[in-house]
Amino acid sequence: MSTRTAGPTGPGSAGTGSPWRNWAGNVTSRPVREVSPASAEELAAELRRATRDGLLVKTVGTGHSFTSIAATDGVLIRPDLLTGIRRIDREAMTVTVESGTPLKRLNVALAREGLSLTNMGDIMEQTVAGATSTGTHGTGRDSASIAAQIRALELVTADGTVMTCSEKENPEVFAAARIGLGALGVVSAITFAVEPVFLLTAREEPMRFDRVIAEFDQLHAENEHFEFYWFPHTDNCNTKRNNRSAGPAAPLPRLGGWFEDEFLSNGVFQAACSLGRAVPPAIPAIARISSRALSARTYTDIPYKVFTSPRRVRFLEMEYALPREAATAALRELKAMVEGSPLKVSFPVEVRTAPADDIALSTASGRETAYIAVHLYRGTPHRGYFTAVERIMTAHGGRPHWGKVHTRDAAYLAEAYPRFAEFTALRDRLDPDRLFANDYLRRVLGD
């Protein structure tokens, strides 16, 4: 196997073009050039051109990954012109969308057509390819990640081949490329399963930590979508249960929704985080106030207005996927670790679930899963907290989210994923010269 090299491609790498930064600001790279192809054919031409020039290639969406998965000092592909819906097939109940389309635009367009994805994450700023390639997920007892809703995808490989992949066409590529980490090629279009738009009733309710832990299995079993947030330095949680409803729709009042989702969850929280960063000893008191600020509420609306929320406070995040049966033990250990340490944690811990799926490098591949995500306000020293959390998660067989901060390498991940070798063998076949390599992929996939 030959190896293509073009200098370092991790955070802070130096090319000659304008610097690129991710959303959180913790990753910077300087590509030699940026390109914005408007079709799969133009994308293939750019890959062939990069090969002739001896440059590595990465594609970036909106930069919502906290890892350097999209960093390069070679060619940076921006999919800004690869947007929009190609077609809606109401007989097959699918939508085919260009890879650079933001999830928000897809959700709004589908709602206008009386359609919806089955499940989604809690933000919708990412492009569809960026979200699926890194394993973005929401929470669900029966419905899985966004990538698990893919029915076909169009992949442009290193040699410029435009390949269609599905369960029937190139099925071995389809099995891996739905969460491909940008290592197998550049996704140019995705076909998702859709269904007639439906209503969800959301029930948000404060609950004590010990009760949530004691009832976690029951809450998961009784609700289609259950998640909760625990506020470190307190015993307080905020729970959210989303279940399908026959209606009628009862959206949040405009003023009430703005007050909690914008003023409290973004405006006031931003000020509280800034104060905590400046005066860390104040964080526990701020946490006690913050955890009591959100009251119980119930509302009914179409899916994307229930699943997603605005996230304007910038942060760093680490998330691990554990076997679901390990979640409560890990959470108790996490709480004990915070309480027994000098750490001051201003952001709540988020807990979600997913059913097992069949995607090679999905964090839920082959097992019922619970996700535990920890965050810190941007600019806050994070290494001590994240290292302590990672130690707990890996002791329970945790798999790190591909787009969130972690320190795992290929040796660890090969043990964590039974189908890891299947993925790397496919990478050897589709990208033998490592056109799509960078420091992050060398670490997590090997070379």
Side-chain angles (χ1 to χ4, degrees):
M1 181 191 310
S2 59
T3 302
R4 181 180 303 273
T5 59
T9 55
S13 59
T16 58
S18 301
W20 168 83
R21 291 180 179 83
N22 67 340
W23 177 82
N26 67 310
V27 177
T28 304
S29 67
R30 191 180 290 272
V32 169
R33 64 173 177 257
E34 296 186 11
V35 297
S36 298
S39 67
E41 291 71 29
E42 288 185 15
L43 175 55
E46 290 294 350
L47 297 185
R48 288 190 289 266
R49 179 185 170 203
T51 298
R52 289 194 302 270
D53 293 345
L55 296 172
L56 305 182
V57 177
K58 296 309 298 178
T59 304
V60 65
T62 54
H64 268 265
S65 289
F66 302 91
T67 64
S68 55
I69 192 168
T72 187
D73 64 355
V75 178
L76 188 69
I77 295 174
R78 291 189 179 272
D80 306 21
L81 302 180
L82 293 169
T83 61
I85 291 176
R86 285 190 185 180
R87 62 183 172 275
I88 293 173
D89 185 334
R90 291 184 182 273
E91 183 175 342
M93 288 304 285
T94 60
V95 59
T96 301
V97 61
E98 302 281 353
S99 61
T101 307
L103 283 166
K104 183 174 184 178
R105 283 181 56 184
L106 174 60
N107 286 332
V108 171
L110 287 176
R112 195 182 302 124
E113 296 289 334
L115 301 169
S116 177
L117 297 173
T118 297
N119 199 357
M120 58 195 76
D122 58 4
I123 61 172
M124 53 179 180
E125 306 306 317
Q126 311 105 307
T127 62
V128 293
T132 55
S133 294
T134 55
T136 294
H137 62 89
T139 189
R141 181 190 61 205
D142 308 308
S143 54
S145 70
I146 302 175
Q149 298 169 67
I150 295 176
R151 294 296 173 265
L153 58 84
E154 183 180 85
L155 184 74
V156 184
T157 59
D159 63 0
T161 300
V162 180
M163 177 186 295
T164 301
C165 312
S166 67
E167 289 184 348
K168 295 181 179 178
E169 195 172 357
N170 297 302
E172 74 289 352
V173 179
F174 181 70
R178 284 172 287 171
I179 298 180
L181 314 186
L184 305 177
V186 180
V187 175
S188 51
I190 299 175
T191 299
F192 292 101
V194 294
E195 59 178 301
V197 72
F198 53 93
L199 292 173
L200 284 172
T201 292
R203 177 184 168 194
E204 299 177 11
E205 179 184 10
M207 196 177 288
R208 302 291 282 179
F209 180 88
D210 286 344
R211 181 184 168 195
V212 179
I213 294 300
E215 298 179 11
F216 180 72
D217 288 339
Q218 179 183 346
L219 289 163
H220 168 78
E222 290 179 349
N223 295 281
E224 292 174 81
H225 309 275
F226 173 71
E227 63 185 305
F228 74 93
Y229 296 84
W230 165 61
F231 293 80
H233 312 295
T234 79
D235 289 318
N236 301 329
C237 298
N238 196 48
T239 64
K240 185 175 183 180
R241 289 167 255 198
N242 298 331
N243 291 286
R244 295 197 183 211
S245 169
L252 285 168
R254 181 169 295 181
L255 180 59
W258 173 86
F259 181 74
E260 293 218 345
D261 293 335
E262 285 289 355
F263 182 70
L264 289 181
S265 296
N266 285 294
V268 172
F269 190 53
Q270 171 84 53
C273 287
S274 297
L275 175 60
R277 185 175 62 187
V279 189
I283 287 176
I286 293 170
R288 288 191 290 273
I289 296 168
S290 298
S291 65
R292 291 194 294 264
L294 299 176
S295 57
R297 61 181 186 175
T298 301
Y299 53 97
T300 301
D301 213 329
I302 60 175
Y304 82 84
K305 294 185 178 181
V306 174
F307 283 130
T308 68
S309 304
R311 292 283 186 269
R312 309 197 198 287
V313 181
R314 302 208 179 199
F315 53 83
L316 289 183
E317 181 176 0
M318 169 183 281
E319 182 178 67
Y320 266 82
L322 306 184
R324 189 166 58 79
E325 62 272 15
T328 54
L331 285 163
R332 287 193 185 97
E333 292 170 31
L334 174 56
K335 187 170 187 286
M337 182 274 290
V338 171
E339 291 173 348
S341 76
L343 293 168
K344 299 293 183 283
V345 182
S346 57
F347 258 80
V349 173
E350 183 180 22
V351 181
R352 294 175 288 177
T353 66
D357 65 40
D358 64 349
I359 305 172
L361 291 190
S362 167
T363 46
S365 182
R367 71 185 190 191
E368 294 277 326
T369 295
Y371 294 99
I372 299 176
V374 299
H375 317 67
L376 281 176
Y377 185 48
R378 186 173 68 172
T380 304
H382 68 277
R383 188 161 298 170
Y385 179 41
F386 282 10
T387 298
V389 170
E390 193 168 41
R391 190 175 297 120
I392 293 169
M393 300 303 152
T394 54
H396 288 281
R399 298 168 176 169
H401 189 298
W402 297 108
K404 299 178 184 180
V405 177
H406 69 93
T407 65
R408 300 300 89 191
D409 61 13
Y412 177 92
L413 296 164
E415 295 294 324
Y417 286 92
R419 298 171 64 186
F420 189 83
E422 174 188 328
F423 186 94
T424 55
L426 182 63
R427 181 191 186 207
D428 288 344
R429 190 185 110 201
L430 295 180
D431 187 17
D433 294 332
R434 301 294 189 258
L435 178 68
F436 305 113
N438 66 1
D439 284 348
Y440 179 78
L441 291 184
R442 278 188 280 273
R443 171 163 68 87
V444 300
L445 296 178
D447 206 23

